[in-house]
């Protein structure tokens, strides 16, 4: 019998609804890892306001050591000030956002975090495009950007490339997301472009990450702490679950498992499972009820190839 891979993940919850959505991400990770034949060993160290209350330090030394030794960091509180302390010690090079929509549709957007990491970011973006639908679009950028993009494109035969102005890209990203696969853009445009993709007419689920050249990368949902609904069990966990899927694929290299979890999240959204933030009348589903539907769809979301691999393993 082949020994199962074991991955170490540090989970940072913080304040607000963070602990509620993180609990559902942990359930999803446990379920999808069993289906795909690996294990995720989670550590939940003190972090943020909870740690501050307990010890007077929002980022205790033990937590810092845990994050540096992990293979990936899953954070449910991207807006927590303590996260800056974590990220300052990591080799973070690129921002990557993913917005999932439809059956299994998704757009992945890349932007370098530093001028010096442009080439690294473009190389990573082309690799992700090759593993997906082999399409990449460059949006905006000065002459140096255009030149760097062209150089990287010559190293990736078979990947379809496109160059667009920001103005030309905005409409298509919002209203025709299915025609995109991977998008690269300079930092000044990244936030706006993600917003246009995430707030289109059809239901879309965003998640974000900061990718490292070495050591752990950081993965997080797109929402904030939502203090006004904390403790009520009604937070929408979809973005947190997609962040977990993003971590599986781009942080741990388990892309089949990432596809399974992403597909299950989208299936739950398509089946009309709505938490209170998405309904105008009635109570809506609880955080756990939404996650229950996702977990029920996990086996059905596996690809045929993955079913075959599991059957003959």
């Amino acid at each position: 019998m082949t020994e199962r891979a074991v991955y170490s993940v540090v989970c940072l919850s913080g304040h607000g609804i963070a602990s509620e959505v993180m609990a559902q991400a942990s359930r999803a990770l446990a379920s999808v890892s069993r289906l795909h034949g690996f294990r995720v060993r989670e550590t939940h160290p003190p972090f943020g306001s909870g740690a501050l209350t307990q010890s007077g330090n929002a980022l205790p030394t033990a937590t810092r050591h845990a994050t540096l030794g992990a293979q990936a960091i899953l954070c449910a509180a991207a807006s927590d000030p303590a996260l800056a302390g974590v990220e300052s010690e990591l080799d973070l090079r690129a921002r990557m956002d993913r917005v999932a929509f439809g059956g299994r549709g998704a757009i992945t957007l890349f932007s370098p975090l530093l001028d010096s990491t442009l080439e690294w970011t473009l190389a990573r973006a082309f690799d992700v495009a090759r593993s997906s639908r082999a399409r990449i679009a460059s949006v905006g950028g000065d002459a140096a950007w255009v030149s760097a993009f062209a150089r990287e494109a010559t190293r990736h035969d078979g990947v379809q490339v496109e160059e667009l102005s920001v103005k030309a890209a905005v409409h298509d990203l919002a209203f025709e997301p299915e025609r995109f696969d991977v998008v690269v853009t300079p930092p000044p445009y990244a936030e706006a472009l993600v917003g246009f993709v995430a707030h289109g007419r059809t239901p879309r689920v965003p998640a974000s990450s900061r990718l490292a050249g070495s050591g752990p990368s950081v993965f997080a949902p797109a929402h904030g702490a939502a203090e006004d609904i904390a403790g009520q069990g009604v937070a929408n966990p979809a973005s947190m679950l997609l962040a977990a899927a993003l971590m599986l694929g781009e942080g741990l290299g388990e892309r089949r498992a990432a596809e399974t979890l992403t597909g299950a999240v989208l299936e739950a959204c398509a089946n009309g499972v709505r938490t209170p933030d998405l309904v105008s009348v009635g109570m809506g589903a609880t955080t756990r009820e939404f996650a229950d539907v996702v977990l029920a769809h996990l086996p059905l979301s596996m690809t045929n190839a993955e079913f075959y691999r599991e059957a003959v393993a």
Side-chain angles (χ1 to χ4, degrees):
M1 176 180 289
T2 303
E3 186 175 351
R4 293 189 172 195
V6 180
Y7 301 104
S8 62
V9 173
V10 165
C11 301
L12 304 177
S13 291
H15 61 294
I17 62 171
S19 61
E20 299 168 57
V21 295
M22 181 66 82
Q24 306 314 314
S26 292
R27 294 176 65 208
L29 287 171
S31 294
V32 77
S33 63
R34 282 195 298 269
L35 284 173
H36 286 266
F38 61 90
R39 290 177 53 206
V40 175
R41 185 173 61 239
E42 297 181 12
T43 303
H44 294 256
F47 174 76
S49 59
L52 187 63
T53 300
Q54 294 175 10
S55 65
N57 187 350
L59 186 59
T61 300
T63 302
R64 291 176 51 242
H65 288 329
T67 59
L68 292 173
Q71 289 171 275
I73 300 168
L74 185 61
C75 181
S79 61
D80 197 304
L83 184 59
V86 173
E87 294 187 335
S88 67
E89 298 183 310
L90 303 177
D91 180 27
L92 302 182
R93 302 188 182 186
R95 168 180 175 163
M96 181 178 71
D97 295 87
R98 181 162 293 159
V99 182
F101 57 89
R104 284 184 180 267
I107 298 178
T108 305
L109 300 99
F110 280 88
S111 181
L113 292 175
L114 303 167
D115 290 342
S116 60
T117 62
L118 171 57
E119 285 77 12
W120 187 92
T121 301
L122 292 174
R124 184 66 180 265
F126 270 91
D127 287 343
V128 170
R130 184 176 293 281
S131 71
S132 184
R133 292 188 288 131
R135 299 180 65 180
I136 189 167
S138 174
V139 176
D142 57 16
W145 174 280
V146 171
S147 178
F149 180 76
R151 286 196 304 273
E152 190 62 37
T154 63
R155 303 186 181 102
H156 299 272
D157 290 340
V159 176
Q160 179 181 340
V161 300
E162 181 179 12
E163 294 182 63
L164 298 168
S165 68
V166 175
K167 182 178 180 180
V170 164
H171 175 275
D172 289 352
L173 285 169
F175 296 100
E176 299 179 54
E178 63 279 352
R179 86 174 191 83
F180 293 95
D181 182 11
V182 173
V183 174
V184 292
T185 192
Y189 310 127
E191 192 76 33
L193 291 183
V194 171
F196 280 113
V197 179
H199 296 97
R201 292 179 299 180
T202 57
R204 302 177 189 182
V205 183
S208 185
S209 63
R210 301 290 187 271
L211 299 180
S214 60
S217 299
V218 179
F219 302 86
H223 56 69
E227 298 277 8
D228 56 323
I229 60 169
Q232 299 177 34
V234 296
N236 187 336
S239 183
M240 185 71 228
L241 294 172
L242 184 60
L246 198 59
M247 179 191 71
L248 288 171
E250 305 306 326
L252 304 179
E254 293 287 350
R255 284 183 169 161
R256 291 288 190 185
E259 292 171 6
T260 296
L261 180 52
T262 300
V265 172
L266 292 174
E267 188 64 32
C269 293
N271 280 351
V273 183
R274 299 285 187 267
T275 44
D277 59 313
L278 299 176
V279 299
S280 55
V281 179
M283 295 291 292
T286 67
T287 305
R288 187 178 181 88
E289 287 169 345
F290 184 97
D292 286 344
V293 175
V294 173
L295 266 59
H297 279 292
L298 286 174
L300 302 176
S301 184
M302 294 175 73
T303 65
N304 289 338
E306 199 62 25
F307 269 126
Y308 176 77
R309 185 179 71 81
E310 293 297 317
V312 300

